[in-house]
Amino acid sequence: MIDLHSHLLPGVDDGARTVEQAARVLGTMARHGLTDICLTPHLTASQAEAGVPPTHDLAFERLLAAAPPAPRLHRGLELMLDRPLGRAAAVDPAVRLGGSRYILVEFPRLVAGETVIRALRHIVGLGLVPVLAHPERYSSCTPAAVRRWRDIGGVMQVDATTLLAVRRRGERARTLVAQGLADIIAADNHGDGRLLDAGRAVLVEHGGAAQAELLAVRNPAAILADGLVEEVPPLEFRTSLLERLRRLWHLAGEEL
């Protein structure tokens, strides 16, 4: 499996605080089948105009020296689009996922659908492919809105463990997968117990082994290789099974 959204670059944002913490989580991820991970610390589009902060480079070198052999480490950013992304930032491969043309972006949770449309169009106009982090978080997220975002050229990244969530965000995440509107899943780990394998297990248990392969392996690999993502078939979620998986995930989280 390949995870393209994590906050394990130590001490630079609200994710892992220390090298030791990040290395420990990476080891757990490897035991759960992760082969590659992209480190995507928070940064705003405004800050990105000055380039990647030197503290990020230093943190990466420290983590690289202490990290286990697997998963392989790739770099990127999670860009909060507080303003339109400038051309100077857009041409910097360090802001993109693994140096590809794909760029991970996010918005405040209360964001209008038209604001998302304008921002995604701007990024596409710069020659990049926007990967929208956790669309299920946004107040304007509906299947119709997400179809428009994808039609513009956006790639939708659903948070893996949100597929097990009870409230509205979980319902949105499952709806996106159910309607074939999710392109990849990622753990969005912040130095904690969130694992990509949790989302993969949900999909497989619901008869979605093919969807799991696309969402957690083939499409993330295509992004790192600067290729094209594939369409993911719709998947029906069975409610009784979902409740059982939630209980199992809660118990597993207590052990991590």
Side-chain angles (χ1 to χ4, degrees), residues 105-166:
V105 299
E106 67 169 340
F107 296 91
R109 296 186 183 187
L110 297 176
V111 60
E114 290 299 322
T115 299
V116 178
I117 287 172
R118 288 193 298 271
L120 297 185
R121 279 180 177 156
H122 175 74
I123 291 173
V124 170
L126 293 171
L128 303 179
V129 181
V131 179
L132 183 53
H134 37 61
E136 68 275 8
R137 289 192 187 184
Y138 306 126
S139 58
S140 54
C141 176
T142 65
V146 171
R147 285 189 180 93
R148 293 184 69 189
W149 300 344
R150 294 176 86 239
D151 286 345
I152 291 167
V155 171
M156 300 298 119
Q157 176 261 296
V158 167
D159 278 358
T161 55
T162 304
L163 293 172
L164 286 161
V166 176

Coordinates of all heavy atoms in Angstrom, one line a residue, residues 105-166:
V105 N -3.8 19.6 -1.8 CA -4.4 20.9 -1.4 C -5.5 20.7 -0.4 O -6.2 19.6 -0.4 CB -4.8 21.8 -2.6 CG1 -3.6 22.0 -3.5 CG2 -6.0 21.1 -3.3
E106 N -5.8 21.7 0.4 CA -6.9 21.7 1.3 C -7.5 23.0 1.5 O -6.9 24.0 1.0 CB -6.5 21.1 2.7 CG -5.5 22.0 3.5 CD -5.4 21.6 4.9 OE1 -6.2 20.8 5.5 OE2 -4.4 22.0 5.5
F107 N -8.7 23.1 2.1 CA -9.4 24.3 2.3 C -9.9 24.3 3.8 O -9.9 23.3 4.4 CB -10.6 24.4 1.4 CG -10.3 24.5 -0.1 CD1 -10.2 23.3 -0.8 CD2 -10.1 25.7 -0.7 CE1 -9.9 23.3 -2.2 CE2 -9.8 25.7 -2.0 CZ -9.7 24.6 -2.8
P108 N -10.3 25.5 4.3 CA -11.0 25.5 5.6 C -12.3 24.6 5.5 O -12.9 24.4 4.4 CB -11.4 27.0 5.8 CG -10.5 27.7 4.9 CD -10.2 26.8 3.7
R109 N -12.8 24.1 6.6 CA -13.9 23.2 6.5 C -15.2 23.9 6.0 O -16.0 23.3 5.4 CB -14.1 22.6 7.9 CG -12.9 21.8 8.4 CD -13.1 21.0 9.6 NE -11.9 20.3 10.0 CZ -11.8 19.5 11.0 NH1 -12.8 19.2 11.8 NH2 -10.6 18.9 11.2
L110 N -15.3 25.2 6.4 CA -16.5 25.9 5.9 C -16.0 26.6 4.6 O -15.5 27.7 4.6 CB -17.0 26.9 6.9 CG -17.5 26.3 8.2 CD1 -17.9 27.4 9.2 CD2 -18.7 25.4 7.9
V111 N -16.2 26.0 3.5 CA -15.8 26.5 2.2 C -16.9 26.3 1.2 O -17.6 25.3 1.1 CB -14.5 25.9 1.7 CG1 -14.7 24.4 1.5 CG2 -14.0 26.5 0.4
A112 N -17.2 27.4 0.4 CA -18.2 27.3 -0.6 C -17.7 26.4 -1.8 O -16.5 26.5 -2.2 CB -18.5 28.7 -1.1
G113 N -18.6 25.7 -2.4 CA -18.3 24.9 -3.5 C -17.7 25.6 -4.7 O -16.8 25.2 -5.4
E114 N -18.2 26.9 -4.9 CA -17.6 27.7 -6.0 C -16.2 28.1 -5.7 O -15.4 28.3 -6.7 CB -18.5 28.9 -6.3 CG -19.9 28.6 -6.9 CD -19.8 27.9 -8.2 OE1 -18.9 28.3 -9.0 OE2 -20.6 27.0 -8.5
T115 N -15.9 28.3 -4.5 CA -14.5 28.7 -4.1 C -13.6 27.5 -4.5 O -12.5 27.7 -5.0 CB -14.4 29.0 -2.6 OG1 -15.2 30.1 -2.3 CG2 -13.0 29.3 -2.2
V116 N -14.0 26.3 -4.2 CA -13.2 25.1 -4.5 C -13.0 25.1 -6.0 O -11.9 24.8 -6.5 CB -13.9 23.9 -4.0 CG1 -13.0 22.6 -4.4 CG2 -14.0 23.9 -2.4
I117 N -14.1 25.3 -6.8 CA -14.0 25.2 -8.2 C -13.0 26.2 -8.8 O -12.2 25.9 -9.6 CB -15.4 25.5 -8.8 CG1 -16.3 24.3 -8.6 CG2 -15.3 25.8 -10.3 CD1 -17.7 24.5 -9.0
R118 N -13.1 27.4 -8.3 CA -12.1 28.5 -8.8 C -10.7 28.1 -8.5 O -9.8 28.2 -9.3 CB -12.5 29.8 -8.2 CG -13.7 30.4 -8.8 CD -13.8 31.9 -8.4 NE -13.9 32.1 -7.0 CZ -15.0 32.1 -6.3 NH1 -16.2 32.0 -6.9 NH2 -15.0 32.3 -5.0
A119 N -10.4 27.6 -7.3 CA -9.1 27.3 -6.9 C -8.5 26.1 -7.7 O -7.4 26.1 -8.1 CB -9.1 27.0 -5.4
L120 N -9.4 25.1 -7.9 CA -8.9 23.9 -8.6 C -8.6 24.3 -10.1 O -7.7 23.8 -10.7 CB -10.0 22.8 -8.5 CG -10.2 22.2 -7.1 CD1 -11.2 21.0 -7.2 CD2 -8.9 21.8 -6.4
R121 N -9.5 25.1 -10.6 CA -9.3 25.5 -12.0 C -8.0 26.3 -12.1 O -7.2 26.1 -13.1 CB -10.4 26.4 -12.5 CG -11.7 25.7 -12.9 CD -12.8 26.6 -13.4 NE -13.9 25.9 -13.9 CZ -15.1 26.4 -13.9 NH1 -15.4 27.6 -13.5 NH2 -16.1 25.6 -14.4
H122 N -7.7 27.1 -11.2 CA -6.4 27.9 -11.2 C -5.2 26.9 -11.2 O -4.2 27.1 -11.9 CB -6.4 28.8 -10.0 CG -5.1 29.6 -9.8 ND1 -4.7 30.6 -10.7 CD2 -4.0 29.4 -9.0 CE1 -3.5 31.1 -10.3 NE2 -3.1 30.3 -9.3
I123 N -5.3 25.9 -10.3 CA -4.1 25.0 -10.2 C -4.0 24.2 -11.5 O -2.9 24.0 -12.0 CB -4.3 24.0 -9.0 CG1 -4.2 24.8 -7.7 CG2 -3.3 22.9 -9.1 CD1 -4.5 24.1 -6.5
V124 N -5.1 23.8 -12.1 CA -5.0 23.1 -13.4 C -4.4 24.0 -14.5 O -3.6 23.5 -15.3 CB -6.4 22.6 -13.8 CG1 -6.4 22.1 -15.2 CG2 -6.9 21.5 -12.8
G125 N -4.8 25.3 -14.4 CA -4.2 26.2 -15.3 C -2.7 26.4 -15.2 O -2.1 26.8 -16.2
L126 N -2.2 26.0 -14.0 CA -0.7 26.1 -13.8 C 0.0 24.9 -14.3 O 1.2 24.7 -14.2 CB -0.4 26.3 -12.3 CG -0.9 27.7 -11.7 CD1 -0.7 27.6 -10.2 CD2 -0.1 28.8 -12.3
G127 N -0.8 23.9 -14.9 CA -0.2 22.7 -15.4 C -0.1 21.6 -14.3 O 0.7 20.6 -14.6
L128 N -0.7 21.8 -13.2 CA -0.7 20.8 -12.1 C -2.0 20.0 -11.9 O -3.0 20.5 -12.5 CB -0.3 21.5 -10.8 CG 1.0 22.3 -10.8 CD1 1.2 22.9 -9.4 CD2 2.2 21.4 -11.1
V129 N -1.9 18.9 -11.2 CA -3.2 18.2 -10.9 C -3.4 18.3 -9.4 O -2.7 17.8 -8.6 CB -3.0 16.7 -11.3 CG1 -4.3 15.9 -11.0 CG2 -2.6 16.5 -12.7
P130 N -4.5 19.0 -9.0 CA -4.8 19.1 -7.6 C -5.4 17.8 -7.0 O -6.3 17.3 -7.5 CB -5.9 20.2 -7.6 CG -6.5 20.2 -8.9 CD -5.5 19.7 -9.9
V131 N -4.8 17.4 -5.9 CA -5.3 16.3 -5.1 C -6.0 16.9 -3.9 O -5.3 17.5 -3.1 CB -4.2 15.3 -4.7 CG1 -4.8 14.2 -3.9 CG2 -3.5 14.7 -5.9
L132 N -7.3 16.8 -3.9 CA -8.1 17.5 -2.8 C -8.1 16.6 -1.6 O -8.7 15.5 -1.6 CB -9.5 17.8 -3.3 CG -10.4 18.5 -2.3 CD1 -9.7 19.8 -1.8 CD2 -11.7 18.8 -2.9
A133 N -7.4 17.0 -0.5 CA -7.4 16.3 0.7 C -8.7 16.3 1.4 O -9.4 17.3 1.5 CB -6.3 16.9 1.7
H134 N -9.1 15.1 1.9 CA -10.3 14.8 2.6 C -11.5 15.7 2.2 O -12.0 16.5 3.0 CB -10.1 15.0 4.1 CG -9.1 16.0 4.5 ND1 -9.3 17.4 4.3 CD2 -7.9 16.0 5.2 CE1 -8.3 18.1 4.7 NE2 -7.4 17.2 5.3
P135 N -12.0 15.6 1.0 CA -13.2 16.4 0.6 C -14.4 16.2 1.5 O -15.2 17.1 1.6 CB -13.5 15.9 -0.8 CG -12.9 14.5 -0.9 CD -11.6 14.6 0.0
E136 N -14.5 15.0 2.2 CA -15.6 14.7 3.1 C -15.7 15.7 4.3 O -16.7 15.8 5.0 CB -15.5 13.3 3.6 CG -14.4 13.0 4.5 CD -13.1 12.6 3.9 OE1 -13.0 12.7 2.6 OE2 -12.2 12.1 4.6
R137 N -14.6 16.4 4.5 CA -14.6 17.4 5.7 C -15.3 18.7 5.3 O -15.7 19.4 6.2 CB -13.2 17.8 6.0 CG -12.4 16.7 6.7 CD -11.1 17.2 7.3 NE -10.3 16.2 7.8 CZ -9.1 16.4 8.5 NH1 -8.7 17.7 8.6 NH2 -8.4 15.4 8.9
Y138 N -15.5 19.0 4.1 CA -15.9 20.3 3.7 C -17.4 20.4 3.7 O -18.1 19.5 3.2 CB -15.3 20.7 2.3 CG -13.8 20.5 2.3 CD1 -13.2 19.8 1.3 CD2 -13.0 21.1 3.3 CE1 -11.8 19.6 1.3 CE2 -11.6 20.9 3.3 CZ -11.0 20.2 2.3 OH -9.7 20.0 2.3
S139 N -17.9 21.6 4.2 CA -19.3 21.8 4.3 C -20.0 21.7 2.9 O -21.2 21.4 2.9 CB -19.6 23.2 4.9 OG -19.0 24.2 4.2
S140 N -19.3 22.0 1.9 CA -19.9 22.1 0.5 C -19.8 20.7 -0.2 O -20.2 20.6 -1.4 CB -19.3 23.1 -0.3 OG -17.9 23.0 -0.3
C141 N -19.3 19.7 0.5 CA -19.2 18.4 -0.1 C -20.5 17.7 -0.3 O -21.1 17.3 0.7 CB -18.2 17.5 0.7 SG -18.0 15.8 0.1
T142 N -20.9 17.5 -1.5 CA -22.0 16.7 -1.9 C -21.5 15.9 -3.1 O -20.6 16.2 -3.8 CB -23.2 17.5 -2.3 OG1 -22.9 18.3 -3.5 CG2 -23.6 18.4 -1.2
P143 N -22.2 14.8 -3.5 CA -21.8 14.0 -4.7 C -21.8 14.9 -5.9 O -20.9 14.8 -6.8 CB -22.9 12.9 -4.8 CG -23.2 12.7 -3.3 CD -23.2 14.0 -2.7
A144 N -22.8 15.8 -6.0 CA -22.9 16.7 -7.2 C -21.7 17.6 -7.2 O -21.1 17.9 -8.3 CB -24.2 17.5 -7.2
A145 N -21.3 18.2 -6.1 CA -20.2 19.1 -6.0 C -18.9 18.4 -6.4 O -18.0 18.9 -7.1 CB -20.1 19.7 -4.6
V146 N -18.7 17.2 -5.8 CA -17.5 16.4 -6.1 C -17.4 16.0 -7.5 O -16.3 16.0 -8.1 CB -17.4 15.2 -5.1 CG1 -16.3 14.3 -5.5 CG2 -17.3 15.6 -3.7
R147 N -18.5 15.7 -8.2 CA -18.4 15.4 -9.6 C -17.9 16.7 -10.4 O -17.1 16.5 -11.3 CB -19.8 15.0 -10.1 CG -20.2 13.6 -9.7 CD -21.5 13.2 -10.4 NE -21.9 11.8 -10.0 CZ -22.7 11.6 -9.0 NH1 -23.3 12.6 -8.3 NH2 -22.9 10.3 -8.6
R148 N -18.3 17.8 -10.0 CA -17.8 19.1 -10.6 C -16.3 19.2 -10.4 O -15.6 19.6 -11.3 CB -18.6 20.3 -10.2 CG -20.1 20.3 -10.6 CD -20.7 21.6 -10.1 NE -20.2 22.8 -10.9 CZ -20.5 24.0 -10.6 NH1 -21.3 24.3 -9.5 NH2 -20.0 25.0 -11.3
W149 N -15.9 19.0 -9.1 CA -14.5 19.1 -8.8 C -13.6 18.2 -9.6 O -12.6 18.5 -10.0 CB -14.3 18.9 -7.3 CG -15.1 19.9 -6.4 CD1 -15.6 21.1 -6.8 CD2 -15.4 19.7 -5.1 NE1 -16.2 21.7 -5.8 CE2 -16.1 20.9 -4.7 CE3 -15.1 18.8 -4.1 CZ2 -16.6 21.1 -3.4 CZ3 -15.6 18.9 -2.8 CH2 -16.3 20.1 -2.4
R150 N -14.2 16.9 -9.8 CA -13.4 15.9 -10.6 C -13.4 16.3 -12.0 O -12.4 16.1 -12.7 CB -14.0 14.5 -10.3 CG -13.8 14.0 -8.9 CD -14.5 12.7 -8.7 NE -13.6 11.6 -9.1 CZ -13.9 10.7 -10.0 NH1 -15.1 10.8 -10.7 NH2 -13.1 9.7 -10.3
D151 N -14.5 16.8 -12.5 CA -14.6 17.2 -13.9 C -13.6 18.3 -14.3 O -13.1 18.3 -15.4 CB -16.0 17.7 -14.3 CG -17.0 16.6 -14.4 OD1 -16.6 15.4 -14.4 OD2 -18.3 16.9 -14.3
I152 N -13.3 19.1 -13.3 CA -12.3 20.2 -13.5 C -10.9 19.5 -13.7 O -10.0 20.1 -14.4 CB -12.3 21.2 -12.4 CG1 -13.6 22.0 -12.4 CG2 -11.1 22.1 -12.4 CD1 -13.8 22.7 -11.1
G153 N -10.7 18.4 -13.1 CA -9.4 17.8 -13.1 C -8.9 17.4 -11.7 O -7.7 17.0 -11.6
G154 N -9.7 17.6 -10.7 CA -9.3 17.3 -9.3 C -9.3 15.8 -9.0 O -10.1 15.1 -9.6
V155 N -8.4 15.4 -8.2 CA -8.3 14.0 -7.7 C -8.8 14.0 -6.2 O -8.3 14.9 -5.4 CB -6.9 13.4 -7.8 CG1 -6.8 12.1 -7.1 CG2 -6.5 13.3 -9.3
M156 N -9.7 13.1 -5.9 CA -10.3 13.1 -4.5 C -9.6 12.1 -3.6 O -9.5 10.9 -3.9 CB -11.8 12.8 -4.6 CG -12.6 13.8 -5.4 SD -12.6 15.5 -4.8 CE -11.8 16.3 -6.2
Q157 N -9.0 12.6 -2.5 CA -8.4 11.8 -1.5 C -9.2 11.7 -0.2 O -9.3 12.7 0.5 CB -7.0 12.3 -1.1 CG -6.3 11.6 0.0 CD -6.4 12.2 1.3 OE1 -5.9 13.3 1.5 NE2 -7.0 11.5 2.3
V158 N -9.8 10.6 0.0 CA -10.7 10.3 1.2 C -9.8 9.8 2.3 O -8.9 9.0 2.1 CB -11.8 9.3 0.9 CG1 -12.5 8.8 2.1 CG2 -12.8 10.0 -0.1
D159 N -10.0 10.3 3.5 CA -9.3 9.7 4.7 C -9.7 8.3 5.0 O -10.9 8.0 5.2 CB -9.5 10.6 5.9 CG -8.6 11.8 5.9 OD1 -7.8 12.0 5.0 OD2 -8.7 12.7 6.8
A160 N -8.8 7.4 5.1 CA -9.1 6.0 5.3 C -9.9 5.7 6.5 O -10.9 5.0 6.5 CB -7.8 5.2 5.3
T161 N -9.5 6.2 7.7 CA -10.2 5.9 8.9 C -11.6 6.6 9.0 O -12.4 6.1 9.8 CB -9.4 6.2 10.2 OG1 -9.0 7.6 10.1 CG2 -8.1 5.4 10.2
T162 N -11.8 7.6 8.2 CA -13.1 8.3 8.2 C -14.2 7.3 7.7 O -15.3 7.5 8.0 CB -13.0 9.6 7.4 OG1 -12.0 10.4 8.0 CG2 -14.3 10.4 7.5
L163 N -13.8 6.4 6.9 CA -14.7 5.4 6.4 C -15.4 4.6 7.5 O -16.5 4.1 7.3 CB -14.0 4.4 5.5 CG -13.5 5.0 4.1 CD1 -12.7 3.9 3.4 CD2 -14.7 5.4 3.3
L164 N -14.8 4.7 8.7 CA -15.4 4.0 9.9 C -16.1 5.0 10.8 O -16.7 4.6 11.8 CB -14.3 3.3 10.7 CG -13.8 2.0 10.0 CD1 -12.4 1.6 10.6 CD2 -14.8 0.9 10.3
A165 N -16.1 6.3 10.5 CA -16.7 7.3 11.4 C -18.2 7.2 11.4 O -18.8 6.8 10.4 CB -16.2 8.7 11.0
V166 N -18.8 7.6 12.5 CA -20.2 7.5 12.7 C -21.0 8.7 12.1 O -22.0 8.5 11.5 CB -20.6 7.3 14.2 CG1 -22.1 7.2 14.4 CG2 -19.9 6.0 14.7

